[in-house]
Amino acid sequence: MGESVVLEFGGTEVKVSHPDKVFFPERGETKLDLIRYYQAVAEPLLSTLQGRPLLLDRYPDGAGGKSFFQKRVPGSAPPWLRTTLVSTPNGTTSDALVAADLAHIAWAVNLGCLGFHVWPYHADTPEVADELRIDLDPSPGVTFAQVVEAAQLTGELLGEHGIEAQVKTSGSRGLHIYALLLPRWNSYEVRAAAVALARELERRHPDLVTAKWWKEERGARVFVDYNQNAPHKTVFGAWCVRPRVGAQVSAPISWDEVATVEPDSLTIATVPGRLAERGDPWADRQPQSIEPLLEQSARDMAAGLQDAPWPPVYPKQPNEPPRVAPSRAKRD
């Protein structure tokens, strides 16, 4: 698989072992090819990831092989590597990699990291969640055309609230909508805003969109996964490469591309050229306010709605309904 190579990133040397190891078998792209891809998209990549903790998705044998998530940085890490203390919902802490610069990304790729799941805050300010992340998750039977329609309607509703959002492919079957936020709110508040958005979308478009947490209630509708904004939740990073054999990228796109985008065509072989030709679709994003969504949340609570259900790994939350599927509740 070839000798090790040493690459330099801004004065930091990273040793890359087995650079010719195939990570993506569809076209034969290697570990070194993946690092070269991240070099090609370094500027927009770091504009979204820099300073944030990362959850590493490691595939030692490449895409399609066995994998595991690694939150803790191994003790053998080089002394220049930046880490930060992160917590899980149950309070367990660990040292996570920080996306300090491209050297940190290359170091992780050398370990077989094919995916970066990103925290919604910066390591220096963990008390502030500065991104609203709307994951449009297709339920079984939902077409990508339905996801596209849901994304367009989500963007329009956010626009009604004065929130300018951006969109990216998930790298798989969905779409992600992001809004960079002013540094004013924590993850509980951002999640409350996401719940309010999901519920309003369902009220307006009940045949297309659902805010129902329990899968048995969703039907063939696009689920607005508000819980991706819960504290300590991570979402797959913009410009990051999915651990799929075709090396698909979770790629930022412009709103006028949403109707025609073919997500599987956005790969490490095509995205650098798109970036060079079209530029970064997220380059001009500015911090936004979620106050209109929090006001909607307050109206929902005043009307008698409870909080939406939380994932099972979280402690029971105030004003949360019973954490049990409706069909099971009926049996009980």
Side-chain angles (χ1 to χ4, degrees):
M1 291 188 183
E3 300 292 334
S4 297
V5 297
V6 176
L7 304 178
E8 184 176 328
F9 302 89
T12 301
E13 292 186 345
V14 178
K15 183 179 179 181
V16 179
S17 61
H18 308 299
D20 297 331
K21 184 173 187 177
V22 173
F23 270 3
F24 305 102
E26 187 171 291
R27 288 180 305 275
E29 286 110 342
T30 65
K31 178 190 289 189
L32 187 58
D33 289 330
L34 180 55
I35 293 175
R36 297 301 188 200
Y37 162 78
Y38 283 125
Q39 286 180 300
V41 300
E43 184 174 348
L45 173 78
L46 292 175
S47 74
T48 61
L49 266 63
Q50 196 163 37
R52 299 182 187 274
L54 303 175
L55 174 63
L56 310 183
D57 195 359
R58 292 183 59 183
Y59 284 72
D61 297 320
K66 293 182 179 179
S67 67
F68 60 95
F69 286 106
Q70 181 165 344
K71 190 174 297 180
R72 294 176 174 83
V73 168
S76 58
W80 52 262
L81 204 75
R82 186 183 173 196
T83 64
T84 191
L85 195 67
V86 297
S87 299
T88 61
N90 63 14
T92 303
T93 59
S94 59
D95 282 324
L97 179 69
V98 175
D101 56 26
L102 201 59
H104 286 68
I105 301 298
W107 174 86
V109 170
N110 184 54
L111 294 184
C113 180
L114 301 193
F116 295 99
H117 298 255
V118 188
W119 262 261
Y121 61 76
H122 287 83
D124 292 338
T125 53
E127 69 282 1
V128 176
D130 66 349
E131 283 185 336
L132 173 68
R133 300 166 170 187
I134 304 301
D135 180 9
L136 299 176
D137 185 9
S139 303
V142 170
T143 66
F144 187 68
Q146 289 173 283
V147 177
V148 165
E149 185 180 1
Q152 292 168 326
L153 294 169
T154 302
E156 290 172 7
L157 179 54
L158 287 168
E160 285 182 29
H161 289 303
I163 300 171
E164 183 179 339
Q166 290 75 39
V167 61
K168 69 181 179 73
T169 63
S170 70
S172 185
R173 297 181 59 240
L175 291 170
H176 295 161
I177 297 174
Y178 276 45
L180 186 65
L181 302 182
L182 295 164
R184 296 178 184 172
W185 301 280
N186 61 33
S187 290
Y188 291 92
E189 293 166 311
V190 175
R191 178 187 175 277
V195 170
L197 177 69
R199 285 173 166 170
E200 181 61 18
L201 283 166
E202 184 180 60
R203 282 191 286 263
R204 295 188 183 194
H205 314 286
D207 295 331
L208 175 67
V209 175
T210 179
K212 297 294 188 293
W213 174 250
W214 301 105
K215 291 182 179 180
E216 64 187 42
E217 294 186 300
R218 295 178 192 172
R221 294 181 289 177
V222 179
F223 173 50
V224 183
D225 191 353
Y226 54 85
N227 271 329
Q228 295 289 20
N229 295 275
H232 315 298
K233 286 288 286 185
T234 59
V235 176
F236 200 82
W239 303 102
C240 293
V241 182
R242 282 282 187 180
R244 298 176 61 193
V245 295
Q248 277 75 20
V249 174
S250 183
I253 58 176
S254 61
W255 279 106
D256 61 9
E257 292 181 276
V258 170
T260 57
V261 67
E262 297 179 2
D264 279 352
S265 70
L266 303 178
T267 71
I268 66 173
T270 62
V271 167
R274 277 175 49 91
L275 175 62
E277 179 183 345
R278 306 185 187 195
D280 176 9
W282 289 16
D284 297 328
R285 67 179 188 154
Q286 298 296 320
Q288 307 288 302
S289 172
I290 54 170
E291 282 298 339
L293 292 175
L294 293 176
E295 291 168 2
Q296 178 65 58
S297 176
R299 289 193 293 270
D300 287 344
M301 297 304 106
L305 287 179
Q306 290 182 281
D307 190 6
W310 286 65
V313 294
Y314 285 80
K316 183 73 173 178
Q317 300 294 316
N319 196 35
E320 183 185 359
R323 199 176 288 180
V324 59
S327 60
R328 181 178 172 186
K330 291 176 182 177
R331 290 198 304 270
D332 295 343

